[in-house]
Amino acid sequence: MSFVYILIGTVAFAIVAPIVGCLLAGLDRIISARMQGRVGPPLLQPYYDVRKLMEKDDVTVSGVDGVYMTCALVFTAFAGGIFFSGGNLLMSAFIITMASLFFIMAAYSSRSPYAELGAGRETLQVMSYEPMVLLMAVCFYMAAGSFNVADAFLLDKPVITIIWPAFLGFLFILTIKLRKSPFDIAMSHHAHQELVKGTTTEMSGKTLAKVEVMHWCETVLFLGWTGMFFLWMNPVSFVIAVVVALAAWFFEIWVDNNFARVKWQAMLKSAWLVALVAGGFNIIFLMFV
Amino acid sequence: MSYATKSPWVIHYDASSCNGCDIEVLAALCPGFDVERFGIINTGNPKHADIFLVTGSVNERNISVVKQIYDQMVEPKVVVACGTCACSGGIFHDCYNVLGGVDQAIPVDVYAPGCAVRPEAIIDGVVQALGILDEKSKALKASKRGA
Ligand code: SF4
């Protein structure tokens, strides 16, 4: 039965998440522009960008990067489906990592030095955030008694009350997951880094459009994870979760606009330190209560 | 209208400009003019770009670079020559190593003159280029359907 839910969830996520993600991306660009004293593009600009990319000619260096990106998109939808149908949080986390790995493969497949370096750094990003993601899932399990997200609705108080350190740790790595500024070392949305476009250097047209759409879906999924901490029995908690997720997202944009890019060493060390302190101590604390 | 005109991404290359025109190109991206209002982004990557902004004249050393950037761009694409040097060679036209305007290397669609070219002229040039981009985009679609 749960498999049917996941399938329905995946299809629903594949339809709704790109729409929501696209609007969020458009808002992101407007808010960023306002923070910089500019007017910014129209709200639907990300949609126009993707439509334009689909109209471009088909050019590819390796011939397989498009296939890898399709796989990445499918796994992203699957991860979102598992999460939003109330399924296993740990599974969702693993499958979204799978999508990242396909994205990395797509970058490696071009053999271009910029893309390879970008792919290497994307791998480092995965290495940086993965410990905290796993510890977050473990903390959720210990607090809710189950890995199933749907079980959060059975709790009489939200998990945030006892795993707030894990939440703070998750907020830290959310910046890496969303590829935002201090940690956008593999691919920047802005063309002023030494790797130019890093992972996506050799991608164009439809393949690049897939990267954009994957990014929209990822944003929705990760904001879903953020909101999950605030769910409990009360139906009002759903509204609170959405508000908190949007607040976290606004915070990420603010961080993106205010901090300069760090080196990968700083990213890896700080992310692991945060995972150890926030996640580790949270687990130890939970073991004794 | 094709979507190409709603999200024109540019790449800017300094051929052998004196840097006067480059500063004006970047000025067009700053808050004062904010071309992102029209969806214009400076990509820095030829594979992502739709519009090629070249400043400065073409010489023996950089002609291959100009050609390569142009070849790496994915159709439909347009070229805007920014500044008098890029249009005709300008003040450097009779230097021993200068070949002339950008049209000596690649097909140029729009010429935006000025020394240095004013941001308004660049924006006007890009807007004209959008019309050409639209036509090219439609032609590409038609040829794809035909094939
Ligand atoms: S047109 Fe004038 S400002 Fe522009 S590159 Fe040539 S000399 Fe410099």
Side-chain angles (χ1 to χ4, degrees):
Chain A
M1 201 51 206
S2 70
F3 187 68
V4 179
Y5 283 148
I6 289 174
L7 270 187
I8 298 172
T10 304
V11 173
F13 183 81
I15 296 167
V16 176
I19 300 172
V20 177
C22 172
L23 292 176
L24 283 176
L27 261 180
D28 180 341
R29 283 176 65 174
I30 293 176
I31 293 172
S32 294
R34 296 287 155 88
M35 282 179 180
Q36 297 161 5
R38 295 186 289 117
V39 178
L43 180 62
L44 287 182
Q45 189 59 46
Y47 172 72
Y48 300 148
D49 290 348
V50 164
R51 285 302 297 263
K52 177 211 58 187
L53 289 172
M54 315 245 278
E55 278 175 6
K56 296 284 265 184
D57 210 2
D58 298 316
V59 175
T60 164
V61 183
S62 64
V64 292
D65 54 355
V67 182
Y68 281 132
M69 277 322 296
T70 307
C71 293
L73 257 185
V74 169
F75 277 105
T76 308
F78 196 36
I82 292 174
F83 177 79
F84 284 101
S85 63
N88 195 313
L89 178 62
L90 198 59
M91 196 57 153
S92 172
F94 280 139
I95 290 193
I96 195 69
T97 304
M98 194 71 192
S100 300
L101 295 184
F102 273 109
F103 179 42
I104 291 168
M105 292 289 282
Y108 267 126
S109 72
S110 70
R111 303 267 178 106
S112 141
Y114 286 108
E116 283 205 352
L117 215 57
R121 289 186 181 186
E122 183 81 25
T123 317
L124 281 166
Q125 284 182 204
V126 174
M127 272 174 65
S128 304
Y129 63 62
E130 207 60 7
M132 189 62 232
V133 170
L134 296 184
L135 291 184
M136 171 201 77
V138 171
C139 285
F140 178 82
Y141 173 80
M142 294 175 83
S146 153
F147 275 120
N148 284 348
V149 180
D151 290 346
F153 285 110
L154 305 175
L155 302 170
D156 44 9
K157 57 181 190 325
V159 290
I160 184 76
T161 50
I162 39 177
I163 61 168
W164 56 267
F167 177 71
L168 294 181
F170 174 70
L171 269 190
F172 185 85
I173 55 122
L174 187 63
T175 319
I176 311 179
K177 281 210 127 213
L178 292 176
R179 304 191 181 86
K180 293 251 179 228
S181 187
F183 306 124
D184 57 348
I185 59 166
M187 177 198 75
S188 173
H189 289 283
H190 321 288
H192 41 63
Q193 74 153 321
E194 77 284 15
L195 270 190
V196 192
K197 281 287 175 185
T199 21
T200 60
T201 301
E202 300 298 326
M203 299 179 190
S204 59
K206 292 192 184 68
T207 312
L208 191 60
K210 285 176 203 163
V211 176
E212 288 292 315
V213 175
M214 181 183 84
H215 199 66
W216 299 346
C217 296
E218 279 180 340
T219 309
V220 174
L221 175 61
F222 299 148
L223 292 184
W225 288 2
T226 315
M228 170 195 75
F229 285 86
F230 294 84
L231 294 176
W232 79 101
M233 237 178 333
N234 194 336
V236 179
S237 70
F238 193 73
V239 181
I240 297 176
V242 172
V243 171
V244 170
L246 289 179
W249 176 75
F250 183 80
F251 174 68
E252 291 299 333
I253 297 174
W254 181 81
V255 169
D256 187 29
N257 277 290
N258 281 289
F259 291 90
R261 183 176 301 113
V262 296
K263 291 185 184 165
W264 68 264
Q265 289 92 338
M267 176 186 69
L268 194 68
K269 279 181 202 154
S270 58
W272 280 33
L273 195 70
V274 165
L276 191 74
V277 174
F281 282 118
N282 206 167
I283 289 179
I284 293 171
F285 167 74
L286 286 172
M287 271 162 37
F288 291 104
V289 288
Chain B
M1 287 271 273
S2 65
Y3 286 98
T5 60
K6 289 192 160 180
S7 119
W9 292 356
V10 304
I11 177 166
H12 163 220
Y13 176 68
D14 172 354
S16 56
S17 155
C18 73
N19 280 177
C21 288
D22 302 307
I23 288 175
E24 301 301 328
V25 167
L26 295 177
L29 295 158
C30 284
F33 294 94
D34 187 24
V35 288
E36 204 194 352
R37 282 177 296 160
F38 314 112
I40 299 176
I41 288 181
N42 185 8
T43 60
N45 181 351
K47 297 221 164 133
H48 295 186
D50 310 291
I51 301 182
F52 188 11
L53 302 178
V54 201
T55 53
S57 54
V58 169
N59 60 34
E60 301 283 357
R61 292 291 280 184
N62 66 29
I63 185 164
S64 60
V65 181
V66 173
K67 278 185 175 159
Q68 202 176 26
I69 294 177
Y70 181 77
D71 289 341
Q72 285 195 5
M73 288 172 68
V74 182
E75 291 284 356
K77 57 187 170 189
V78 288
V79 178
V80 181
C82 296
T84 309
C85 286
C87 294
S88 64
I91 193 168
F92 302 115
H93 72 101
D94 54 1
C95 280
Y96 64 95
N97 59 339
V98 167
L99 298 172
V102 180
D103 49 11
Q104 302 298 314
I106 53 175
V108 173
D109 297 282
V110 179
Y111 296 86
C115 177
V117 59
R118 298 193 65 81
E120 291 92 336
I122 300 174
I123 295 173
D124 278 352
V126 169
V127 168
Q128 255 194 48
L130 289 184
I132 302 171
L133 193 64
D134 192 33
E135 279 166 30
K136 288 193 179 177
S137 172
K138 281 184 185 134
L140 183 75
K141 230 188 239 170
S143 75
K144 263 188 187 169
R145 224 175 278 141

